Amino acid sequence: MKKIQVIDLVRSLSILVVLSGHLQAIFVNNGSKIYPLEYLWYKFWLNHPFGVSVFFVVSGYLITRLLARDGPGLFKPDLRNFYSRRVGRIIPLLGLACLIEVAFTRLFDTQSPQFKNCFGSPPGASTGTFWFYLCTFSANWYRIIHWKQTINLGLQFNIFWSLSIEEQFYLFYPFILSLLGKERNLYCFLALMILLGPLSLILGYHLLPYNNIVLQNSFAAFNLIAMGCLLYLVSERLQNSLRARKVLSLLLCASGILIFLVFYTHVYVRGDDTWEIWANSMVGVGTFLFLLGGLHLDLFEGKTGAFLGFPGKLSYGMYLLHPMVFFFLWPYLGVLNQWVSFLIFAGFTAGISRLSFRFFETPANRWIRKKLGRHAGA
């Protein structure tokens, strides 16, 4: 299918803010000497977990688009082809990331701050408990259940929670589509999923007051993925109207950016659970509106859009491989200010991810889809 540059631009933002937060929170404390740059850096990394929220919305859109255009239609998904695609896209790099963790445990000093921050040692790893949760894509529930032991979980293990939530949703999503049978029923289902997001957070904060680990419960993210699924339906229905009314599309983009910035730049005060409950959903709404307008504009196409969207094309690889890159760059980043460190970190991560995508992930993906799917795919 045709690549959409505005999607890659949004994914670029998503992965870059995640990298900035991990860089700041774990390691970089050497501030810029120029106040505006220091202030901009603070606002850039401040609410970096919302980068994952944005990616959930994008993911829901892309998967729904894929299901609608691949096979008999959205409500008659080709299950074999769909799941072979998911296995081919997800498993090779996930397996490689786990092998890197195991290898590094034997090659490097596991007690060094460098290792603990980048990889760590999750409780239950020696008994297989953690690996059970990981292999069943329920690492987010592992983090919630063992939240007292996983506060200082290493970065490599810390990032598996979001991947687990995505795969939980996509495990049942094609079957739900088959059962729903028509668009009206799908709208109702997505509305329910969107509503369950804040409700799950209200319940979570009641059980674990002032503990933002509840943001990693599956339903809090399902509501964002559902927004992405809804985005596909709405954009398809309104595409002719929005393409003919460029000003309306621009206004949608502008309103989405405004909503996103209001919540992304907000300084969270501990105990402000009301903001936590609704901020995640509002970031999703901002992303929804921006993409609803942006998908129908040519503004984001062209060489500039392709350049800025390059990290977005590699976002999955950058997400899983950046702890390894961080580990090797650790001794060099600490002597630099945040922006220089970030550019080096992001540049090396994108380069390694590009090599992985070209020479490992793509061949593995093709081989798996050829073996498991109905036909070989590029």
Side-chain angles (χ1 to χ4, degrees):
M1 297 186 297
K2 179 189 174 186
K3 300 296 183 182
I4 308 173
Q5 287 188 6
V6 69
I7 291 291
D8 288 332
L9 283 169
V10 171
R11 289 196 292 192
S12 290
L13 172 67
S14 175
I15 188 60
L16 291 177
V17 297
V18 168
L19 293 187
S20 72
H22 291 168
L23 187 68
Q24 173 68 22
I26 295 175
F27 188 55
V28 176
N29 296 304
N30 189 21
S32 171
K33 305 300 182 184
I34 304 174
Y35 172 74
L37 292 178
E38 175 75 14
Y39 179 77
L40 286 174
W41 174 256
Y42 172 67
K43 289 296 186 179
F44 185 54
W45 72 265
L46 177 63
N47 287 311
H48 67 277
F50 286 143
V52 178
S53 303
V54 170
F55 191 81
F56 281 140
V57 177
V58 172
S59 178
Y61 170 82
L62 290 175
I63 291 298
T64 305
R65 180 174 180 259
L66 172 68
L67 285 166
R69 301 188 181 193
D70 182 40
L74 184 59
F75 298 102
K76 295 181 180 180
D78 185 331
L79 297 180
R80 180 173 177 178
N81 207 33
F82 175 77
Y83 288 115
S84 69
R85 283 176 177 268
R86 296 308 298 165
V87 172
R89 182 71 184 100
I90 298 299
I91 297 302
L93 190 59
L94 177 62
L96 178 63
C98 293
L99 287 175
I100 289 172
E101 161 67 24
V102 173
F104 279 30
T105 301
R106 288 161 173 73
L107 293 173
F108 300 102
D109 179 12
T110 59
Q111 298 306 309
S112 68
Q114 181 178 355
F115 189 92
K116 286 183 177 180
N117 278 280
C118 295
F119 294 100
S121 180
S126 59
T127 62
T129 303
F130 172 81
W131 297 105
F132 170 78
Y133 280 99
L134 180 61
C135 292
T136 55
F137 291 105
S138 51
N140 63 309
W141 293 114
Y142 167 85
R143 290 215 64 201
I144 294 173
I145 293 170
H146 301 280
W147 69 269
K148 290 183 179 179
Q149 293 83 23
T150 59
I151 293 175
N152 297 315
L153 196 62
L155 182 57
Q156 181 71 74
F157 289 116
N158 194 31
I159 62 179
F160 287 146
W161 71 272
S162 59
L163 178 62
S164 296
I165 290 175
E166 268 198 291
E167 298 316 306
Q168 289 167 33
F169 188 89
Y170 297 138
L171 181 64
F172 69 80
Y173 187 44
F175 293 100
I176 292 293
L177 291 173
S178 299
L179 291 173
L180 293 175
K182 56 184 179 180
E183 196 169 292
R184 181 180 177 181
N185 294 338
L186 179 55
Y187 278 117
C188 294
F189 169 75
L190 295 176
L192 175 63
M193 289 291 101
I194 292 171
L195 180 63
L196 283 178
L199 290 179
S200 71
L201 292 179
I202 292 171
L203 177 61
Y205 281 118
H206 176 73
L207 298 174
L208 295 173
Y210 314 126
N211 191 336
N212 61 11
I213 193 69
V214 301
L215 289 167
Q216 296 184 9
N217 88 80
S218 296
F219 294 103
F222 284 176
N223 99 316
L224 295 165
I225 299 174
M227 286 185 192
C229 302
L230 183 63
L231 172 63
Y232 175 79
L233 298 177
V234 175
S235 65
E236 287 294 297
R237 175 161 291 195
L238 299 180
Q239 63 175 329
N240 292 332
S241 177
L242 291 175
R243 286 200 176 278
R245 297 170 178 153
K246 301 298 184 183
V247 174
L248 178 58
S249 294
L250 285 170
L251 287 174
L252 287 170
C253 285
S255 61
I257 292 173
L258 179 61
I259 292 171
F260 175 82
L261 288 178
V262 165
F263 286 89
Y264 188 84
T265 59
H266 176 80
V267 179
Y268 169 70
V269 178
R270 184 171 176 80
D272 187 7
D273 291 347
T274 302
W275 182 83
E276 284 272 26
I277 289 167
W278 294 105
N280 217 34
S281 294
M282 292 309 297
V283 166
V285 170
T287 306
F288 178 98
L289 291 174
F290 174 78
L291 286 175
L292 182 59
L295 286 166
H296 303 96
L297 291 171
D298 297 327
L299 177 65
F300 303 103
E301 302 298 320
K303 293 182 179 179
T304 302
F307 173 76
L308 295 176
F310 178 72
K313 296 178 184 293
L314 304 169
S315 55
Y316 178 57
M318 292 179 70
Y319 192 59
L320 288 191
L321 295 176
H322 79 269
M324 178 191 68
V325 177
F326 194 18
F327 178 81
F328 286 115
L329 292 180
W330 177 288
Y332 310 104
L333 297 179
V335 298
L336 305 170
N337 72 55
Q338 299 102 319
W339 285 109
V340 175
S341 297
F342 171 72
L343 292 174
I344 293 173
F345 181 33
F348 270 92
T349 303
I352 295 296
S353 301
R354 174 58 183 164
L355 292 175
S356 170
F357 183 79
R358 173 67 179 83
F359 297 106
F360 172 66
E361 295 171 62
T362 299
N365 191 351
R366 287 173 173 166
W367 184 84
I368 289 173
R369 286 168 60 180
K370 184 176 181 180
K371 296 296 182 181
L372 300 181
R374 295 192 184 280
H375 52 78

